[in-house]
Amino acid sequence: MTENIESFIKRDDTAKEMVKFAEELAKDIVRDVSTSQIRNAYGTVKKLEMLSSFSDKSLRELLLLKPKLAYARGRSQRKETFKKLEDALGSAIDAVDVNQPETFKRFCNFFEAILAYHKANGGK
């Protein structure tokens, strides 16, 4: 799984696989992870996306999303299901390279796809 997620972020030719993976993940977590839990993390990502450039400071903020996800898992009723989301996003965050800003853009696309499919599958 980690290798697939890394390729979604590092390579430009994996969009089709990334979308399929995001759809399957969203279906897996839709019953046990709320939209607001996902949106809390997504809000941080959108703030970073709106900056004019992706920098070391931006990468630091992105990396700090990992403990926030761990905290959200700790508060979650279904920890094992939330862990799937946490692991996928954690692997994607690890693949982002500050020297390759397009990797951050692909990360944003991946996260957005998860959120969209979660909502499309009835996420509340």
Side-chain angles (χ1 to χ4, degrees):
M1 175 176 94
T2 303
E3 304 84 34
N4 290 343
I5 295 170
E6 185 176 321
S7 74
F8 302 154
I9 307 304
K10 292 190 177 214
R11 294 182 24 217
D12 200 31
D13 62 344
T14 59
K16 191 178 218 177
E17 294 87 0
M18 183 266 301
V19 168
K20 183 175 173 63
F21 183 93
E23 183 176 17
E24 292 301 316
L25 177 62
K27 285 179 184 176
D28 268 0
I29 66 172
V30 72
R31 286 196 179 114
D32 299 324
V33 178
S34 71
T35 301
S36 65
Q37 287 174 308
I38 298 172
R39 280 201 159 284
N40 285 338
Y42 187 67
T44 300
V45 172
K46 285 307 280 183
K47 286 179 195 168
L48 293 173
E49 190 177 25
M50 293 173 76
L51 297 174
S52 59
S53 66
F54 191 73
S55 65
D56 288 330
K57 184 178 177 184
S58 303
L59 181 60
R60 182 178 190 284
E61 290 297 315
L62 185 62
L63 289 170
L64 288 172
L65 190 57
K66 291 172 76 172
K68 289 179 184 176
L69 289 166
Y71 176 77
R73 175 178 36 92
R75 292 182 44 103
S76 177
Q77 302 254 326
R78 299 292 202 142
K79 292 174 182 25
E80 64 282 346
T81 304
F82 195 92
K83 181 101 171 89
K84 292 177 185 180
L85 175 64
E86 181 185 1
D87 289 347
L89 292 176
S91 295
I93 289 169
D94 289 342
V96 173
D97 182 348
V98 73
N99 297 315
Q100 297 177 322
E102 66 276 4
T103 60
F104 176 66
K105 182 65 178 160
R106 289 187 204 116
F107 169 79
C108 292
N109 294 153
F110 178 56
F111 200 161
E112 190 172 314
I114 294 168
L115 179 61
Y117 280 120
H118 183 269
K119 193 64 174 172
N121 284 291
K124 302 202 181 303

